Amino acid sequence: MCFLSFSIYNSHSTTSCVYSKVETSGITPNDGIICQGAMATLTASGGGTYVWSNGATTAGITTGTAGTYSVTVTSVNGCTASTSSSITVLPLPTPSISVSETSGTVANDGTIYTGSSANLTASGGGTYLGILALQQQE
């Protein structure tokens, strides 16, 4: 987990808040970058009450929406501390497969004769994992 800690000192008490961001989608876990459809959990601790920028009053919130989220933590002594963090949502890739062959009835229709070959080309992403499924028609 990534932690952002801060403290407020006064003559009566110390308010300390620990804030964490948890997600495993996107580029690096807990960096605040998620893929569309994924969720991130933001959690604050160290206080008596919590007020988030989205109106939530719990210690943690879960979101799949991009934006900057802030929380104000109030201790039992009435001292407050605030912090914020951003969530970025990346769009999903749009995968596509093209077929190149001249063996079947019509070129590039995906139908090939025994002993012939076809080239399949993937596009629309950064890295590709291929899974080959063969279907033989008689």
Side-chain angles (χ1 to χ4, degrees), residues 103 112-118:
S103 170
I112 60 174
Y113 296 114
T114 302
S116 298
S117 64

Side-chain angles (χ1 to χ4, degrees), residues 5-135:
S5 296
F6 57 93
S7 296
I8 296 176
Y9 300 97
N10 65 30
S11 60
H12 300 290
S13 66
T14 300
T15 298
S16 179
C17 174
V18 177
Y19 175 81
S20 66
K21 182 182 341 185
V22 179
E23 49 79 16
T24 57
S25 176
I27 299 170
T28 304
N30 304 325
D31 62 358
I33 301 172
I34 60 175
C35 295
Q36 183 181 348
M39 303 299 278
T41 299
L42 308 174
T43 305
S45 61
T49 62
Y50 306 91
V51 179
W52 292 87
S53 53
N54 67 355
T57 57
T58 56
I61 59 171
T62 301
T63 185
T65 304
T68 299
Y69 295 86
S70 61
V71 62
T72 299
V73 180
T74 304
S75 72
V76 293
N77 297 324
C79 299
T80 62
S82 297
T83 190
S84 64
S85 185
S86 295
I87 298 297
T88 301
V89 179
L90 301 176
L92 296 176
T94 306
S96 177
I97 299 174
S98 63
V99 177
S100 174
E101 53 76 23
T102 57
S103 170
T105 308
V106 177
N108 303 322
D109 65 357
T111 302
I112 60 174
Y113 296 114
T114 302
S116 298
S117 64
N119 290 319
L120 304 176
T121 305
S123 62
T127 25
Y128 303 94
L129 172 63
I131 299 173
L132 181 60
L134 301 174
Q135 179 180 2

